Amino acid sequence: MEKKYSRDEILKSVSNDGNALEYADKILKADREIVLAAVSNDGHALRYADEILKADREIVLAAVSKYGYGFYFADEILKADREIVLAAVSNDGHALRYAD
């Protein structure tokens, strides 16, 4: 039987390694605080976030500021947001190919 981790344990884990979000329960991948902590640690963690949070401007901005390529995982609407595009390409110029 798989051990279930508490919300606080997952929050601590993703704060130390954002990509630990991959192994969180689906409900926690939709938890704004947990996802923000994950992408603030490693922007690549945006890949594992719930689709709703991939459209959250603050979360996407935090992700692309850490990992420009995380822009690839952002909602299409945010790929036209000037501030987010600039943050992504200043971190990784190749992110420009995903801009609207």
Side-chain angles (χ1 to χ4, degrees), residues 26-77:
K26 186 176 181 174
I27 196 160
L28 295 176
K29 290 178 181 182
D31 183 302
R32 190 172 191 285
E33 182 182 11
I34 288 174
V35 172
L36 187 56
V39 301
S40 293
N41 175 269
D42 185 338
H44 185 261
L46 184 61
R47 144 185 246 159
Y48 307 113
D50 185 86
E51 293 301 313
I52 296 289
L53 295 179
K54 290 178 182 179
D56 182 301
R57 189 172 189 283
E58 181 183 5
I59 287 175
V60 172
L61 190 55
V64 301
S65 294
K66 281 287 195 184
Y67 180 69
Y69 188 76
F71 190 51
Y72 175 79
F73 305 108
D75 185 88
E76 293 301 314
I77 292 171

Side-chain angles (χ1 to χ4, degrees), residues 10-30:
I10 296 295
L11 183 58
K12 183 177 179 181
S13 181
V14 300
S15 294
N16 292 321
D17 177 6
N19 284 308
L21 184 62
E22 176 180 7
Y23 306 105
D25 287 337
K26 186 176 181 174
I27 196 160
L28 295 176
K29 290 178 181 182

